[in-house]
Amino acid sequence: MTRIIEVPGTLDQGGFDAMVAQAAEVEEGGGAIVDASRVRFANPFGMVGLLAIGAHLGQRGKRPQLRLPTSSEVGSYLTRMRFHEEARRLYEVSGGTERSRGGGETNVLLEITPIGSHEDVHDVIDRVQDRAGTILKEKLGYPATASTHFSMMLSEVCQNIIEHAEADGWVGIQSYKWKKTLGREVVVIAVMDLGVGFRGSLEREHAAHHGDRWSDATALEAAFLHGTTRFRDPGRGQGIKQIRARVHRWGGKISIRSGTARITDVPEWDDAPPLQTELARFPGSQIQIVLPAVAPLGDAAGS
Amino acid sequence: MIADGRQGEPGRIRPLSVDLAEYRRRSVASLYSNLVTRPTGRAVRMGVESQIAELERSQALCLLVLDFSQVRILDFSCADEIVAKLILRYAQERPAVQVYFLARGVHDHHAEAIEAVLDRHGLLLVTESEAAVFRLLGSRDDAISTCWDHLHRHGRLGADEAADCLGVDFDTAAAVLASLAAHRVVVPFADGSVRPVHLLDRPEG
């Protein structure tokens, strides 16, 4: 049986959750058509999430189909993020448009990039430095030194895939004006994999310690709040702590979804719950970092 | 804190004779471009360790200068593999060559990563910025900081002077100096005094 997964008009973190809930209904070995034709907005998390859904469906059953957005504006965004190249590896693709508007100012900080090795992390860091400097300074109003800290943070978050997921993943970064929540420019980093997830990574070393309380949520809390890792090396577990510190310093938001839970450092401008449980199960980890532009003077949201 | 295998008893410095004439070689590992990911850090560390191993035959003292001036990005994982694990190895083991460490060309963003990994492991390291400003980074309390500042200004310090400087008794002051020596940010001399590693090649007085 082939099931249709309706992609919401807004393809962001909420849109991803909606897709995951529908994907959970697809039978093992069954087919799926992911219908993104009505998408009117897509951020990096939504785009990378659409790829993750495709990979997940393909692993569970038949190669899925993807109906691309009909909106030329969304099609242009997807093209600039090199979404289609990755999508064709995972889906039978139909509809939509792949034409770029071409030229002009780009808001793409890093096109959707597969991460499968430490060499890929080096490539990502080499590629983002100049663009990060320009976008962070001009669009977010961050100091010139921010690009270095951004690269340090990006390196750690990408290494999370290699070190903990035991599977390949993707990263994509884009800036856009987030009118609805902030009314300001943001840079959104999306990093996802379909690996063992935080619970799977920590299970062997730490599950027994938590007893009956062991779950996706407790695994996320252990890693996110306490720097717990599966490695005995005391130098491990620094990455997430340092990423959180940097995101906090820039007034940003970081959330990690893994399995059936999501944990979030919630900034004052957002009202997301710090911990969500009983979400539809999805393998691996999905990380989103939102970095907001420096608030204008007198704007309480960023002060 | 590092367990100092050279300390005979708590609070006492076991003398280590340092003749600067024997101080033959300064090993400089120039570190380039982006130092990111653990495998990269491991590769750099192994290269540095092999340089140090070459010294072991000569029983020389070594001030290992890690030059970061050409490094654009240093992430926390790489800093852990290079800086923390190098210091841990030569401070905790009993290598044939006595290795001390100095990080040179350290920018603020390098310092952030270096300090984080030093804190994590309870280590100390002297760093030198491009403007030749020396800082003690890592896991330090007020007594350590005060002593090191005094050493930086005056070059050499014995337990008597350290006791005056800190306003504590002799044994407590000696323990602070022993701790600095155990962290390899100062070199202990036969008379019980210590000198900071970044001033070793400068005339005293």
Side-chain angles (χ1 to χ4, degrees), chain B residues 110-185:
Chain B
H110 300 137
E112 181 179 325
I114 292 169
E115 179 119 58
V117 301
L118 294 173
D119 277 342
R120 181 86 170 183
H121 293 279
L123 301 170
L124 293 173
L125 178 66
V126 177
T127 64
E128 180 183 2
S129 72
E130 299 232 84
V133 174
F134 291 93
R135 293 168 64 194
L136 181 66
L137 297 185
S139 184
R140 58 201 184 277
D141 57 20
D142 287 347
I144 291 277
S145 295
T146 303
C147 244
W148 191 85
D149 287 345
H150 198 78
L151 278 160
H152 177 56
R153 284 197 304 276
H154 300 289
R156 193 192 272 248
L157 201 60
D160 284 330
E161 299 154 283
D164 289 343
C165 159
L166 294 172
V168 296
D169 61 36
F170 180 90
D171 285 346
T172 304
V176 173
L177 296 188
S179 177
L180 284 165
H183 281 94
R184 295 183 171 259
V185 293

Side-chain angles (χ1 to χ4, degrees), chain A residues 30-259:
Chain A
I33 298 170
V34 178
D35 185 0
S37 60
R38 281 180 286 278
V39 170
R40 291 293 175 267
F41 170 82
N43 78 355
F45 192 89
M47 293 181 213
V48 177
L50 197 49
L51 297 175
I53 293 276
H56 175 60
L57 291 169
Q59 286 171 0
R60 294 186 68 224
K62 296 173 185 165
R63 183 176 165 87
Q65 299 175 51
L66 173 64
R67 291 178 189 154
L68 288 169
T70 55
S71 160
S72 58
E73 189 176 11
V74 175
S76 177
Y77 274 131
L78 295 180
T79 301
R80 277 184 281 174
M81 286 292 281
R82 295 196 190 147
F83 169 85
H84 302 93
E85 294 167 38
E86 288 299 310
R88 276 193 289 270
R89 289 176 46 224
L90 304 165
Y91 288 103
E92 295 299 328
V93 178
S94 64
T97 173
E98 293 185 31
R99 276 188 304 175
S100 172
R101 286 186 291 196
E105 186 184 19
T106 180
N107 60 355
V108 176
L109 212 154
L110 179 70
E111 297 86 355
I112 293 171
T113 305
I115 301 288
S117 69
H118 287 97
E119 285 72 29
D120 293 334
V121 179
H122 274 271
D123 287 344
V124 162
I125 300 306
D126 288 344
R127 280 166 53 195
V128 301
Q129 278 175 57
D130 292 338
R131 272 188 274 180
T134 303
I135 288 180
L136 294 176
K137 187 177 173 194
E138 293 180 0
K139 300 211 171 192
L140 302 193
Y142 289 8
T145 53
S147 67
T148 305
H149 291 115
F150 182 85
S151 296
M152 290 164 68
M153 182 176 74
L154 184 60
S155 169
E156 295 294 343
V157 77
C158 288
Q159 283 180 75
N160 189 67
I161 296 175
I162 314 295
E163 298 280 335
H164 302 286
E166 299 173 19
D168 293 356
W170 302 270
V171 55
I173 312 172
Q174 193 180 23
S175 72
Y176 60 90
K177 186 152 186 176
W178 198 5
K179 295 174 190 164
K180 188 175 152 189
T181 302
L182 264 174
R184 273 189 266 153
E185 199 81 22
V186 292
V187 162
V188 173
I189 303 170
V191 179
M192 291 193 192
D193 66 74
L194 294 179
V196 298
F198 278 73
R199 183 176 179 174
S201 178
L202 300 179
E203 184 112 4
R204 191 170 157 186
E205 297 289 328
H206 301 283
H209 174 70
H210 289 82
D212 293 344
R213 287 187 58 250
W214 183 243
S215 66
D216 289 314
T218 48
L220 270 176
E221 284 179 322
F224 195 74
L225 302 178
H226 307 299
T228 304
T229 78
R230 71 171 186 268
F231 301 102
R232 296 192 174 179
D233 178 350
R236 298 296 187 118
Q238 281 282 286
I240 289 178
K241 178 184 170 189
Q242 299 301 338
I243 292 165
R244 289 179 64 206
R246 175 53 57 186
V247 171
H248 178 74
R249 229 170 288 171
W250 283 336
K253 174 183 175 183
I254 175 172
S255 60
I256 304 180
R257 189 193 201 281
S258 187

Side-chain angles (χ1 to χ4, degrees), chain B:
Chain B
M1 301 292 279
I2 299 168
D4 182 8
R6 289 176 293 111
Q7 277 183 255
E9 55 186 283
R12 303 290 294 178
I13 302 170
R14 181 175 173 184
L16 171 66
S17 295
V18 175
D19 179 351
L20 287 180
E22 285 183 354
Y23 174 63
R24 294 177 187 162
R25 180 172 171 183
R26 191 177 274 204
S27 176
V28 178
S30 289
L31 310 174
Y32 296 101
S33 195
N34 296 328
L35 289 182
V36 295
T37 79
R38 285 193 179 271
T40 300
R42 274 194 288 272
V44 170
R45 172 163 47 85
M46 287 167 69
V48 173
E49 286 170 345
S50 69
Q51 276 186 272
I52 294 171
E54 287 176 22
L55 293 172
E56 292 189 359
R57 290 185 209 99
S58 62
Q59 294 285 305
L61 288 162
C62 172
L63 176 62
L64 183 72
V65 180
L66 296 169
D67 187 348
F68 288 87
S69 55
Q70 301 298 315
V71 177
R72 289 185 72 181
I73 311 294
L74 173 69
D75 72 13
F76 299 97
S77 299
C78 213
D80 186 63
E81 288 292 336
I82 299 173
V83 177
K85 287 195 167 61
L86 269 177
I87 299 175
L88 281 168
R89 174 174 176 183
Y90 291 99
Q92 289 184 331
E93 293 180 9
R94 292 167 174 266
V97 62
Q98 295 295 322
V99 185
Y100 294 86
F101 299 89
L102 176 66
R104 181 167 287 163
V106 173
H107 293 264
D108 286 347
H109 59 271
H110 300 137
E112 181 179 325
I114 292 169
E115 179 119 58
V117 301
L118 294 173
D119 277 342
R120 181 86 170 183
H121 293 279
L123 301 170
L124 293 173
L125 178 66
V126 177
T127 64
E128 180 183 2
S129 72
E130 299 232 84
V133 174
F134 291 93
R135 293 168 64 194
L136 181 66
L137 297 185
S139 184
R140 58 201 184 277
D141 57 20
D142 287 347
I144 291 277
S145 295
T146 303
C147 244
W148 191 85
D149 287 345
H150 198 78
L151 278 160
H152 177 56
R153 284 197 304 276
H154 300 289
R156 193 192 272 248
L157 201 60
D160 284 330
E161 299 154 283
D164 289 343
C165 159
L166 294 172
V168 296
D169 61 36
F170 180 90
D171 285 346
T172 304
V176 173
L177 296 188
S179 177
L180 284 165
H183 281 94
R184 295 183 171 259
V185 293
V186 301
V187 178
F189 284 74
D191 64 0
S193 66
V194 301
R195 254 197 121 194
V197 291
H198 63 288
L199 299 179
L200 280 177
D201 59 350
R202 298 183 190 186
E204 290 193 66

